């Protein structure tokens, strides 16, 4: 289970074990830092049949950016997931070989906020700091991130 917070992940892993009898393994993963995402993918050394990208961030302070200087919502909800998935392609291909139907699956969750994005879709000039981003506001930036995922 990839998570930025070891404490929260361990609580979820404990609950999962209690409910299913199966135990997940904690993987340190900060989706707002693409180098950290690469390191997490490098640490993952197992076949992977299903990758479930579900982490998300919504409505942080407007000035909050990722380590790579992207809007933190877009960076976490879109770029972090995409980079993690691409880094894990070899593990997904190995997982497909072990899967009964010969396939691996990648699942991305989003929210109904994806339907709230403005008609022109993602405004790329708002993904980094600047007046256009500030004018758009945290809520619209969230909708863009959900549209992107």
């Amino acid at each position: 289970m990839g998570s930025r917070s070891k404490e929260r992940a361990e609580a979820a892993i404990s609950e999962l074990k209690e409910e299913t009898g199966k135990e997940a393994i904690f993987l340190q993963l900060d989706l707002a830092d693409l180098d950290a995402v690469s390191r997490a993918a490098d640490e993952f050394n197992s076949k992977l049949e299903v990758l479930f990208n579900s982490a998300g961030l919504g409505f942080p302070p407007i000035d909050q950016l990722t380590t790579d200087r992207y809007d933190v919502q877009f960076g976490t909800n879109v770029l972090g997931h995409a980079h993690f998935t691409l880094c894990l392609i070899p593990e997904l291909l190995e997982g497909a070989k072990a899967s009964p139907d010969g396939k691996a699956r990648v699942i991305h969750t989003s929210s109904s906020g994806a339907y709230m994005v403005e008609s022109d879709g993602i405004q790329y000039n708002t993904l980094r700091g600047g007046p256009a981003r500030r004018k758009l506001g945290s809520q619209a930036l969230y909708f863009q991130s959900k549209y992107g995922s």
Side-chain angles (χ1 to χ4, degrees):
M1 177 179 294
S3 177
R4 185 180 51 214
S5 167
K6 185 173 185 176
E7 181 180 312
R8 290 173 68 185
E10 286 176 344
I13 289 168
S14 176
E15 185 178 329
L16 180 67
K17 185 173 183 179
E18 191 175 299
E19 291 182 16
T20 68
K22 298 184 181 190
E23 190 164 356
I25 298 168
F26 170 70
L27 178 67
Q28 185 71 46
L29 177 61
D30 181 355
L31 293 167
D33 180 341
L34 296 178
D35 286 338
V37 171
S38 295
R39 285 191 301 274
D42 287 345
E43 287 178 31
F44 192 93
N45 55 3
S46 180
K47 293 182 281 191
L48 184 61
E49 293 178 37
V50 178
L51 175 60
F52 196 99
N53 291 318
S54 178
L57 178 68
F59 313 108
I62 192 73
D63 294 325
Q64 194 170 353
L65 300 174
T66 68
T67 304
D68 305 287
R69 312 285 303 149
Y70 288 97
D71 171 70
V72 74
Q73 295 175 110
F74 195 84
T76 299
N77 300 346
V78 180
L79 300 177
H81 284 147
H83 186 59
F84 192 55
T85 300
L86 290 171
C87 287
L88 291 176
I89 293 293
E91 288 77 6
L92 287 161
L93 292 172
E94 285 302 309
K97 292 176 188 174
S99 175
D101 65 0
K103 297 177 182 174
R105 289 155 177 82
V106 178
I107 302 161
H108 293 276
T109 59
S110 188
S111 78
S112 59
Y115 298 107
M116 304 300 286
V117 75
E118 295 185 18
S119 61
D120 51 352
I122 296 171
Q123 297 178 37
Y124 291 95
N125 65 331
T126 64
L127 300 183
R128 302 247 185 187
R133 183 170 165 277
R134 186 168 284 292
K135 182 178 178 185
L136 192 60
S138 189
Q139 185 177 35
L141 288 165
Y142 172 76
F143 295 153
Q144 278 190 158
S145 78
K146 294 288 97 182
Y147 181 78
S149 64

